Amino acid sequence: MARHGTTRAHRGTGAQLTMDSLLAYARRQDRADGLAHLRTRFVGADTELVYFDGNSLGRPPVAAIERVERFMREEWGGRLIRGWDESWLQLPYEIGDRIGRAVIEAKAGQTVIGDSTTVLLYKLARAAVDAQVARDPQRREIVVDRDNFPTDRYVLEGIAHETGCRLRWIDVDLERGVTPEQLAEVAGPHTALVVVNHVSYRSAYLADAPELTRIAHDAGALILWDLCHSAGSVPVHADRWEFDLAVGCTYKYLNGGPGSPAFAYVRDDLQQALRQPIQGWFGTADLFAMGPEYVPAPGIRRFVSGTSPITAMIAMQETLAMIEDVGMAAIRAKSIALTEYAIELADQWLAPLGVVVGSPRDAEERGGHVILQHDAMREVTARLWQRDVIPDYRDVGGLRVGLAPLSTSFEEVHRGLDATREVLREVLAERAGLG
């Protein structure tokens, strides 16, 4: 059994495939893929466009467009303000529980849909730091790694400034992330909070969540997990792994749409102990009392602030239904197969051109994307976009191949990396004065 509760995957596709057999292999994989039927449910999946950016913004499900249109006509247009009297007030908690049940394995009442990822990160991190400092004034360190996603680092810098705490930085290998050994070196009696990305946004390194959580707890610290690049791609066991806090976005693998609201997880025994810092009327015990002072609601509702973004929650329900139907284990298995195939193609086609795979090769340590390193990749990415091949770029020199298991096919991976090889050859020829 692997450390994350998944079966160990074998490296690569077996014996190295020949150039002629790579496409045949992709087509065999697509025919055998138990999730292949889901690809037809996404807008644009039947076109020649290659989409390698589902880990930044997922494709819209066809049914999500229909659901949003129906909501706007019938519920918003038909019910108007009366919609709040029926289902809208409960929607953030109902969808939150679905995410808890299907995506992060958390029991009901611990997950809610709310604000942006950045705002939810601030709420939970600030609440955790305040509670820890109140319990022990010596706990004034926030542990974070230097390659953590920028918004996480910026939020924590602000909280440190507001609270008089200091950041304890972990220097990580950019092809990996925070390891148990690194966290054990810095976590101690002064640690208030540890913040870690479950899957690194750059390298796709998959952190050892249960072990890092245990180390933080042994030091008396709370830990906040950023699940943005794992929710819907990598199985998460929030309750079993004894998470304290977590946030995750819904516009990547959950296909909620641009800027769709993030989710927050707060373990049930912490909910009464934490005072969220952005106090608003939707988080009060009696929403319509309009009382003279703030009285927090019991449970997860106290972490809600203002009016919930109802329309922005509608689209993600279609992908949640797919995940509920097929399960995260099947999604993870396809994710591993897709990334293994992408690495196989990179090794055969791109390594001779100087490309280095910047993601872990062990599937147990890799999330749902692969980063390909070369100093020409910024230009390669721009040219690929002009050819309807859409990866994204991350400094320094990283072309990121994001593979959404519900909507990406193996043949699409083949076409996209074939185009990458062709464009990189063009760029290198021009640099050499041969173009």
Side-chain angles (χ1 to χ4, degrees), residues 183-238:
L183 182 58
E185 286 181 3
V186 300
H190 299 294
T191 308
L193 178 67
V194 176
V195 180
V196 187
N197 287 175
H198 188 210
V199 172
S200 168
Y201 80 99
R202 190 194 310 273
S203 70
Y205 175 73
L206 178 58
D208 190 342
E211 182 62 10
L212 293 177
T213 299
R214 183 195 64 77
I215 292 168
H217 288 170
D218 286 351
L222 296 176
I223 189 164
L224 192 166
W225 284 96
D226 182 331
L227 305 178
C228 285
H229 278 86
S230 54
S233 175
V234 175
V236 177
H237 308 285

Side-chain angles (χ1 to χ4, degrees), residues 340-358:
E340 293 284 0
Y341 183 54
I343 291 171
E344 185 78 40
L345 293 175
D347 286 343
Q348 293 204 42
W349 287 352
L350 303 179
L353 301 176
V355 173
V356 174
V357 174

Side-chain angles (χ1 to χ4, degrees), residues 288-309:
F288 293 104
M290 310 292 182
E293 61 184 22
Y294 175 81
V295 179
I300 194 68
R301 191 158 67 85
R302 66 175 50 203
F303 295 93
V304 178
S305 298
T307 305
S308 301

Side-chain angles (χ1 to χ4, degrees), residues 205-359:
Y205 175 73
L206 178 58
D208 190 342
E211 182 62 10
L212 293 177
T213 299
R214 183 195 64 77
I215 292 168
H217 288 170
D218 286 351
L222 296 176
I223 189 164
L224 192 166
W225 284 96
D226 182 331
L227 305 178
C228 285
H229 278 86
S230 54
S233 175
V234 175
V236 177
H237 308 285
D239 286 350
R240 188 199 313 169
W241 292 343
E242 299 184 337
F243 281 6
D244 299 314
L245 307 160
V247 298
C249 66
T250 63
Y251 43 77
K252 301 184 191 313
Y253 299 110
L254 300 186
N255 308 100
S260 58
F263 65 87
Y265 165 91
V266 183
R267 199 178 67 231
D268 53 5
D269 64 298
L270 286 175
Q271 291 173 8
Q272 297 299 111
L274 300 183
R275 182 183 181 92
Q276 81 114 318
I278 305 179
Q279 299 178 173
W281 74 306
F282 261 58
T284 57
D286 189 341
L287 178 61
F288 293 104
M290 310 292 182
E293 61 184 22
Y294 175 81
V295 179
I300 194 68
R301 191 158 67 85
R302 66 175 50 203
F303 295 93
V304 178
S305 298
T307 305
S308 301
I310 299 300
T311 307
M313 298 180 189
I314 302 303
M316 71 183 74
Q317 295 179 80
E318 295 301 328
T319 296
L320 287 176
M322 294 183 216
I323 295 173
E324 289 165 342
D325 182 40
V326 302
M328 282 303 306
I331 290 171
R332 173 61 172 161
K334 182 176 178 183
S335 176
I336 290 173
L338 286 169
T339 54
E340 293 284 0
Y341 183 54
I343 291 171
E344 185 78 40
L345 293 175
D347 286 343
Q348 293 204 42
W349 287 352
L350 303 179
L353 301 176
V355 173
V356 174
V357 174
S359 297

